[in-house]
Amino acid sequence: MSGKKFLLLAAACVLLTACEGAQKEDEKTSIRIGVSLYRGDDTFINNIRSVLEEKAKEYERQNNIKVTLDIQDAKGSQNTQNNQVERFISLGCDVLCINPVDRMDASVMIDRAMTAGVPVVFFNRQPVEEDMARWDRLYYIGVDAKETAVLQGQMVVDLYRKRPEDVDLNGDGVVSYVLLEGETSHQDSLIRTEWSIQTLKDGGVPIEKITGGIANWERSQASALMEQWLGAYPDTIELVVSNNDDMALGAIDALDRAGITRMNVIGIDGTTPGLEALENGRMLGTVSANKELYASAIMELAASCALGKELPPEYPLENGTYYWTPQEILVHGTFKENP
């Protein structure tokens, strides 16, 4: 080989090696995810947080990419959450995962994320459609609220058709119920209330509403309301329909204090304490989202956004924006798959 050819070959090898090195340097070996929770003491959100932390570690092991989760609690303050988003961006977070305090007021967070070019994965509390349509790097992960409500109502319909005496406890031909509702501004609360009751009616359960009240998803508030109702309507209530498990557990707390053991209570979420109440027979049933899939979807979608990769096909997005987590009915003593 002539000296000239040798020099050309050597130069090509050096250039190729340099290009490979540059390519490797460009590949991210770590990602930082800013996570803001609307309230860290919410039982369902705490369950999702725990699984998300596990999924982050799993992602690290499987992909050899360091994942830093910066998890903050907004403690029910939208202003606090806005400041957390600003801090995440200043720290160089690659993607944001936000459980909004006020679903009607996500615009400030979206503005800041868009300006910084940082994609956002919202979860659990769905921003309004107009906000979600502002940018193609906004996503939402949650459950279909109507499906949740229909499944909640269906568990009672199924029981009534098999054993009506287990629902109409006093045998008077009417199932008297009380209703515990979540936040008035939360879309899931409104939809769950409407469709769970409508499903009972459509399923032929002869229901009559005694009373209802707003307990804001909280166990203590629900317990106080239930205690009042038990005093005002003694020996009347047969069914407690609750928008979530925590409020259902609050109703059970009041029933326990009153020494009442025979009353049907149904919830939503499949939280850890909710499942315990289900197992020991204090709760008739709940509707549970698949929390493994829920947290996996958040992690995988966030990681894909952070790394600039194609979105994971195993979590198909409706309209390129929404992922709906599968749900199932869980009833004391039995297990019924979501049809």
Side-chain angles (χ1 to χ4, degrees):
M1 181 183 293
S2 68
K4 186 175 181 181
K5 287 183 178 179
F6 177 80
L7 289 173
L8 287 172
L9 180 60
C13 288
V14 169
L15 181 61
L16 181 60
T17 302
C19 288
E20 287 178 347
Q23 185 178 9
K24 288 180 180 177
E25 286 178 6
D26 289 338
E27 292 178 358
K28 291 176 72 68
T29 57
S30 66
I31 57 175
R32 187 183 187 102
I33 303 174
V35 183
S36 177
L37 309 177
Y38 97 101
R39 250 183 45 204
D41 61 355
D42 181 282
T43 306
F44 178 74
I45 293 302
N46 244 324
N47 283 175
I48 295 298
R49 172 184 180 161
S50 296
V51 183
L52 180 59
E53 289 171 333
E54 293 171 7
K55 294 300 177 183
K57 293 175 184 175
E58 186 179 301
Y59 189 90
E60 279 189 334
R61 291 193 300 270
Q62 293 178 350
N63 298 278
N64 199 29
I65 293 175
K66 179 175 175 54
V67 178
T68 299
L69 288 182
D70 187 347
I71 303 178
Q72 299 293 319
D73 180 2
K75 297 182 178 179
S77 167
Q78 188 58 61
N79 186 56
T80 297
Q81 189 165 66
N82 292 344
N83 292 336
Q84 288 171 354
V85 167
E86 194 168 322
R87 174 181 170 274
F88 289 151
I89 292 171
S90 70
L91 290 174
C93 285
D94 301 290
V95 61
L96 307 180
C97 296
I98 301 175
N99 168 217
V101 171
D102 185 349
R103 63 177 291 265
M104 306 293 289
D105 193 19
S107 57
V108 171
M109 297 184 291
I110 291 173
D111 285 340
R112 291 172 182 171
M114 288 176 64
T115 299
V118 179
V120 182
V121 179
F122 291 102
F123 65 98
N124 179 250
R125 296 160 72 89
Q126 183 182 343
V128 296
E129 189 174 345
E130 290 79 7
D131 279 337
M132 293 299 296
R134 291 178 58 198
W135 193 29
D136 62 2
R137 302 185 75 188
L138 302 175
Y139 307 95
Y140 177 75
I141 293 171
V143 295
D144 184 301
K146 181 179 176 181
E147 178 189 44
T148 305
V150 169
L151 291 174
Q152 185 186 42
Q154 192 62 45
M155 72 175 76
V156 179
V157 171
D158 291 345
L159 178 59
Y160 184 78
R161 288 174 178 172
K162 291 176 185 175
R163 299 189 303 276
E165 68 277 8
D166 287 350
V167 181
D168 180 11
L169 301 178
N170 61 13
D172 66 351
V174 177
V175 179
S176 302
Y177 76 94
V178 294
L179 182 65
L180 288 165
E181 300 181 63
E183 295 167 312
T184 53
S185 61
H186 196 298
Q187 83 283 358
D188 282 8
S189 179
L190 302 173
I191 295 170
R192 288 176 187 182
T193 294
E194 176 184 358
W195 285 100
S196 60
I197 301 306
Q198 188 62 49
T199 301
L200 290 171
K201 292 177 181 177
D202 293 344
V205 181
I207 55 174
E208 178 183 44
K209 183 177 180 180
I210 301 301
T211 188
I214 306 295
N216 294 303
W217 309 119
E218 293 188 16
R219 184 168 181 164
S220 60
Q221 291 188 34
S223 181
L225 280 175
M226 191 67 193
E227 189 168 335
Q228 292 174 21
W229 298 339
L230 290 173
Y233 308 99
D235 305 317
T236 304
I237 304 167
E238 299 168 281
L239 173 66
V240 180
V241 180
S242 175
N243 282 173
N244 80 338
D245 283 354
D246 267 6
M247 294 188 296
L249 291 169
I252 292 170
D253 292 339
L255 291 172
D256 288 344
R257 288 194 299 272
I260 298 172
T261 57
R262 194 165 184 254
M263 188 181 297
N264 290 316
V265 181
I266 56 175
I268 287 171
D269 282 342
T271 62
T272 300
L275 295 179
E276 290 172 359
L278 194 68
E279 187 176 351
N280 65 34
R282 295 300 286 132
M283 190 187 296
L284 170 65
T286 187
V287 179
S288 178
N290 186 317
K291 295 174 188 61
E292 291 287 317
L293 276 177
Y294 202 127
S296 289
I298 295 172
M299 182 63 228
E300 294 289 341
L301 184 55
S304 297
C305 289
L307 296 169
K309 293 183 176 180
E310 289 187 9
L311 301 181
E314 60 268 37
Y315 304 101
L317 299 178
E318 181 182 292
N319 299 325
T321 302
Y322 301 93
Y323 175 73
W324 306 111
T325 307
Q327 303 176 84
E328 61 192 8
I329 293 175
L330 299 178
V331 181
H332 174 63
T334 61
F335 175 84
K336 178 174 180 177
E337 289 280 359
N338 178 11

